[in-house]
């Protein structure tokens, strides 16, 4: 729902610094940063993402070859505008995961978008119809890192064409503002 107050409430109530679930594994400070970004508190968001990056880097000292932890670090560097570090870590994660150059994970794509590779992301999205399960559709449709694609008629058409049965209609879900760092509302 892009509700900064609710995100902050949930993260405050969460008993651990790390979230470890089927969908997400990483620092709760990523979500706290998201909440601050949503509320327009850019510096507070960056501060939380730096905390998350420190925690992620500490995890990398234990498991330096874990592609998921490398992806998380890459995404955080991208959110912080540190493109060179993000690109290197993402390349390393993809290599360790054994991905082919034309294969990509959703997190890889989200990081690429954050890095400004919007046209490449759009091309991937348009090639990916067969890979769009309801969960993947929801991820791409609502994850704030995909905000730069919103408003592009190709992306909007793609989302409508892959709308799973029973999914929320489009008329009432357009975000009022982008949550991407540096984006103009």
């Amino acid at each position: 729902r892009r509700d900064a107050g609710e995100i902050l409430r949930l993260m405050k109530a969460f008993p651990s610094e790390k979230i470890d679930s089927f969908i997400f594994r990483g620092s709760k400070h990523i979500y706290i940063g998201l909440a601050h970004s949503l509320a327009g508190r850019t510096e507070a968001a960056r501060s939380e993402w730096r905390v998350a990056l420190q925690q992620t880097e500490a995890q990398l000292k234990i498991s330096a070859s874990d592609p998921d932890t490398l992806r998380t670090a890459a995404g955080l560097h991208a959110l912080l505008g540190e493109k060179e570090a993000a690109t290197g870590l993402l390349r390393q994660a993809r290599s360790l995961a054994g991905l082919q150059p034309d294969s990509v994970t959703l997190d890889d794509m989200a990081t690429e978008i954050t890095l400004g590779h919007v046209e490449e992301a759009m091309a991937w999205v348009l090639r990916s119809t067969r890979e769009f399960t309801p969960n993947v559709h929801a991820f791409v449709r609502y994850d704030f890192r995909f905000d730069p694609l919103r408003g592009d008629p190709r992306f909007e058409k793609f989302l409508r064409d892959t709308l799973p049965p029973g999914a929320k209609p489009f008329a009432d879900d357009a975000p009022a503002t982008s949550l991407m760092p540096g984006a103009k509302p």
Side-chain angles (χ1 to χ4, degrees):
R1 295 184 327 219
R2 296 176 182 249
D3 182 334
E6 183 66 6
I7 295 168
L8 289 172
R9 185 190 71 73
L10 289 170
M11 290 301 101
K12 183 177 181 183
F14 198 77
S16 173
E17 286 290 305
K18 184 177 179 184
I19 299 171
D20 196 354
S21 74
F22 176 72
I23 294 174
F24 176 80
R25 190 182 73 181
S27 172
K28 74 178 185 178
H29 294 276
I30 294 170
Y31 283 102
I32 296 170
L34 167 61
H36 286 303
S37 182
L38 175 61
R41 296 184 294 265
T42 305
E43 285 310 310
R46 291 177 60 79
S47 178
E48 293 295 333
W49 289 330
R50 287 213 180 280
V51 170
L53 182 58
Q54 289 171 347
Q55 292 172 337
T56 303
E57 288 173 339
Q59 182 62 37
L60 280 172
K61 289 179 181 172
I62 298 167
S63 55
S65 61
D66 177 33
D68 291 331
T69 306
L70 287 163
R71 280 189 175 91
T72 299
L76 286 162
H77 278 289
L79 286 168
L80 292 166
E82 300 164 356
K83 293 182 177 192
E84 190 173 310
T87 300
L89 288 167
L90 188 57
R91 187 178 303 118
Q92 186 180 356
R94 292 173 53 71
S95 174
L96 286 168
L99 291 177
Q100 299 300 317
D102 60 343
S103 298
V104 69
T105 70
L106 287 169
D107 278 324
D108 292 349
M109 188 50 49
T111 298
E112 293 286 358
I113 292 168
T114 305
L115 290 169
H117 305 149
V118 175
E119 278 306 311
E120 295 90 333
M122 183 62 67
W124 175 81
V125 165
L126 296 174
R127 284 193 315 264
S128 301
T129 303
R130 69 186 177 285
E131 299 170 22
F132 268 65
T133 65
N135 289 343
V136 171
H137 178 92
F139 183 91
V140 171
R141 185 173 174 187
Y142 295 108
D143 189 296
F144 78 103
R145 297 170 298 174
F146 283 79
D147 283 357
L149 301 183
R150 299 187 206 300
D152 184 309
R154 299 170 297 172
F155 184 67
E156 300 301 329
K157 179 183 182 317
F158 176 80
L159 288 177
R160 282 175 172 71
D161 290 350
T162 61
L163 186 68
K168 182 179 180 181
F170 279 90
D172 57 356
D173 73 346
T177 61
S178 174
L179 301 178
M180 291 296 291
K184 306 231 183 321

